[in-house]
Amino acid sequence: MANPMHLGLQDAMSPLMEELLYFHDHTLMIIFLISMFVLYTISVLLLTSLYHTNATDVQEMEMIWTILPALILITIALPSLRTLYLMDETTNPCLTIKVIGHQWYWTYEYTDFSQLEFDSYMLPTQDLPQGHFRLLEVDHRMVVPTNSSTRTLITAEDVLHSWAVPSLGIKMDAVPGRLNQTSLTSPNPGVFYGQCSEICGANHSFMPIVVEAVPMQHFQSWLKTNS
């Protein structure tokens, strides 16, 4: 999770977030090269008084500065489209969880199991166990199995919310009357924190999200305990 001096993105904890990090680094390198080239060109123009008499009217140069930006945009667009399609891909999920946003808490419904649903509220500071994170810990975590595709159906009951877990690469709006779909997969066990990312009222900052990924045998034991 993020820390006070964190300047970059959070570490990737899902294959989707890894793809997003790769695309971020790919695009940032292109931006860096363009910026260095523009800075070099400006420096040359400012520090050099000599120039060729035909430099201001060359057909070949006009073709280059028209075609080159188009090629750069293509090198950015192709990986972007691939990542967008991966974000929308939901094939053969082993588990479906319905997430409902309220003012100001979340409800999780495990639709594959009867009568398995619960509300998730932020733990007040006075009830927070030692070592847990203030304003991020909840009384009931969303538990998912590792190495398994989990389909998440996201909606809201009252106003707009946004279900976001940065380390898993997920940010999906919760819209009243509409069901949005995304998927998450975590190859490793862990606890991942997020928050509502849509201003939804006075207590918007008190709607934390906690996703706990556990091995399949532990998930099955959790199901038996909570069913």
Side-chain angles (χ1 to χ4, degrees):
M1 61 177 296
N3 55 68
M5 298 301 293
H6 202 140
L7 298 179
L9 299 174
Q10 295 186 24
D11 294 337
M13 292 297 159
S14 69
L16 177 58
M17 188 58 185
E18 289 181 0
E19 292 292 334
L20 292 173
L21 284 177
Y22 292 152
F23 176 69
H24 171 268
D25 295 341
H26 167 74
T27 308
L28 198 62
M29 184 56 65
I30 293 176
I31 294 173
F32 176 75
L33 293 175
I34 293 174
S35 301
M36 293 302 296
F37 175 74
V38 171
L39 182 62
Y40 170 76
T41 304
I42 293 174
S43 301
V44 170
L45 291 175
L46 292 176
L47 300 176
T48 305
S49 59
L50 299 176
Y51 64 93
H52 197 276
T53 54
N54 295 328
T56 57
D57 186 17
V58 180
Q59 190 70 27
E60 292 78 7
M61 183 62 71
E62 293 181 0
M63 292 179 61
I64 291 174
W65 70 44
T66 301
I67 296 175
L68 187 59
L71 295 177
I72 293 174
L73 289 176
I74 290 174
T75 60
I76 296 175
L78 292 180
S80 174
L81 290 173
R82 177 177 178 272
T83 305
L84 283 173
Y85 278 107
L86 287 175
M87 292 176 68
D88 287 336
E89 189 72 23
T90 306
T91 56
N92 300 323
C94 73
L95 180 67
T96 299
I97 302 176
K98 186 178 180 182
V99 181
I100 305 174
H102 308 268
Q103 288 182 313
W104 288 273
Y105 63 96
W106 298 98
T107 297
Y108 299 103
E109 298 180 3
Y110 288 71
T111 58
D112 298 312
F113 308 95
S114 60
Q115 298 180 351
L116 180 53
E117 62 177 271
F118 52 85
D119 297 331
S120 180
Y121 290 87
M122 184 193 74
L123 280 179
T125 304
Q126 61 270 18
D127 298 334
L128 198 64
Q130 186 175 4
H132 289 242
F133 298 106
R134 177 177 172 270
L135 301 181
L136 287 177
E137 193 56 67
V138 297
D139 56 355
H140 294 94
R141 296 174 173 176
M142 172 179 155
V143 181
V144 297
T146 57
N147 295 312
S148 302
S149 177
T150 301
R151 176 171 55 191
T152 309
L153 305 176
I154 301 172
T155 186
E157 190 179 63
D158 35 44
V159 299
L160 287 174
H161 300 279
S162 184
W163 200 76
V165 185
S167 58
L168 296 176
I170 294 176
K171 183 179 184 297
M172 183 65 67
D173 287 343
V175 183
R178 176 169 179 166
L179 210 58
N180 291 326
Q181 174 179 281
T182 186
S183 63
L184 64 93
T185 303
S186 178
N188 300 311
V191 180
F192 315 113
Y193 294 90
Q195 289 178 303
C196 177
S197 297
E198 188 76 43
I199 297 177
C200 55
N203 293 330
H204 156 70
S205 56
F206 306 116
M207 287 185 64
I209 301 161
V210 183
V211 178
E212 182 176 359
V214 298
M216 181 59 74
Q217 58 268 26
H218 292 81
F219 179 73
Q220 292 173 348
S221 301
W222 179 83
L223 286 177
K224 293 178 182 178
T225 304
N226 293 272
S227 296

